Amino acid sequence: MQPSIVILTGAGISRESGLSTFRDADGIWATVRIEDVATPEAFARDPVRVHEFYNARRRGLLDPKVQPNPAHQALAELERARPGKVLLVTQNIDDLHERAGSRDLVHMHGELLKIQCQACGDVRDCRHDLGAGDSCPACGSTGTLRPQVVWFGEMPLKMDRIYAALSACDLFLSIGTSGNVYPAAGFVQEARSVARARTVELNLEPSEGASLFHEAIYGPASQVVPDYVRKLLDRT
Ligand code: BJW
């Protein structure tokens, strides 16, 4: 039987594609405060500021220079080689996993290229700047559109699917995440204690929860992830 694999990715996997992480010295939280841009209260207080923050990041993601790197590609290759056996759970709001070819993918913190209406719940694709006075194309309400992302204090998406997969996996991989943000930071414990899965961290440096992993491989994602996937496919 082929092992069932759950993979959690974070901002570190997209760094070599040109996108910033959050908590590294040159990360996003070094230049803006979480309380100003990444909470529902911030959006209610100053939607213009929050829209500017996400408009800039959306433009950055759509820059033709930003492309999937070998780590994204290796995970897509793993899914193709093990159909039905790999669930990719990303905390990232970029679309680089999809662009690399991953299909069984959960964006637990939402997607930068989608918007949601707070009045009617309509969710749709968006590749342009949003303004605080824009109207919802579905219900016509004004000032109710927001990026479809999960801010602090909000419930991450598809948690039932994620916990079901974690509780039944044989292998849990955590890639490019600092382990600072819950519930994602608790997935390793869930996989270990409920599923008795093997747990492996691939990161530039030890994460907050490094001691919880059976194995750790440190280095840039574009190198360590393709190496790991190659060895895994050779072995199983
Ligand atoms: C490389 C690399 C390279 C670099 N190669 N690696 C105590 C008090 C108050 C609140 C809480 C509390 N304990 C828990 C909470 C809840 C709170 C929380 O966790 N707070 C903490 C700060 C303590 N969590 C929430 O509010 C969440 N909701 C929630 O809990 O709902 C209730 C619930 C309960 C039970 C079950 C389920 C739900 C929501 C969290 C939302 C997070 N949102 C953000 C913004 C999303 C939109 C956006 O992008 O703008 O998500 S914050 C930000 O952090 C973003 C990321 O997804 C997330 C994680 O960051 P990530 O990916 O780990 O990035 P970094 O920068 O931290 O790390 C990068 C890593 O890569 C580093 O280790 C580098 O070394 C490495 N790296 N280059 C490989 N080349």
Side-chain angles (χ1 to χ4, degrees):
M1 264 267 282
Q2 285 176 345
S4 171
I5 306 170
V6 176
I7 305 166
L8 173 70
T9 63
I13 197 169
S14 296
R15 194 184 193 188
E16 291 161 87
S17 294
L19 299 178
S20 295
T21 59
F22 293 92
R23 294 169 186 81
D24 288 308
D26 58 353
I28 291 172
W29 300 149
T31 57
V32 285
R33 293 186 333 142
I34 288 175
E35 309 80 54
D36 289 337
V37 295
T39 67
E41 294 78 15
F43 187 61
R45 200 171 50 241
D46 193 349
V48 173
R49 169 99 199 263
V50 175
H51 278 310
E52 278 169 1
F53 174 69
Y54 284 99
N55 286 343
R57 288 178 62 198
R58 192 181 297 106
R59 277 184 246 127
L61 177 57
L62 293 173
D63 183 326
K65 288 200 285 290
V66 173
Q67 295 295 335
N69 67 54
H72 299 102
Q73 282 150 0
L75 297 184
E77 185 193 334
L78 178 61
E79 183 188 324
R80 279 193 298 273
R82 297 282 183 271
K85 291 288 182 184
V86 179
L87 177 65
L88 181 52
V89 179
T90 187
Q91 298 171 85
N92 300 342
I93 62 173
D94 66 56
D95 65 343
L96 296 181
H97 283 304
E98 289 92 327
R99 286 199 236 164
S102 287
R103 292 294 168 258
D104 207 355
L105 171 66
V106 173
H107 277 279
M108 65 177 288
H109 291 164
E111 295 178 58
L112 184 55
L113 299 181
K114 288 196 172 147
I115 55 173
Q116 181 162 19
C117 174
Q118 299 193 114
C120 71
D122 179 68
V123 175
R124 61 181 61 211
D125 294 342
C126 175
R127 302 175 79 85
H128 54 75
D129 283 4
L130 266 191
D134 288 353
S135 300
C136 171
C139 71
S141 301
T142 300
T144 53
L145 294 176
R146 59 169 280 182
Q148 202 233 358
V149 301
V150 177
W151 289 318
F152 283 101
E154 296 184 317
M155 184 62 85
L157 309 175
K158 314 255 173 75
M159 294 308 297
D160 290 351
R161 167 131 203 247
I162 295 170
Y163 279 117
L166 285 170
S167 68
C169 71
D170 303 298
L171 175 64
F172 173 75
L173 306 179
S174 175
I175 302 173
T177 176
S178 64
N180 272 286
V181 175
Y182 286 84
F187 290 172
V188 56
Q189 274 159 310
E190 187 78 10
R192 270 190 87 137
S193 61
V194 180
R196 307 238 166 268
R198 180 167 180 78
T199 56
V200 183
E201 159 161 286
L202 298 102
N203 207 34
L204 203 52
E205 59 193 13
S207 70
E208 285 294 309
S211 62
L212 297 166
F213 291 88
H214 293 106
E215 183 183 353
I217 301 166
Y218 297 120
S222 68
Q223 291 171 26
V224 296
V225 176
D227 282 356
Y228 183 85
V229 167
R230 207 169 306 119
K231 284 181 192 139
L232 184 67
L233 290 177
D234 285 349
R235 219 171 35 230
T236 55

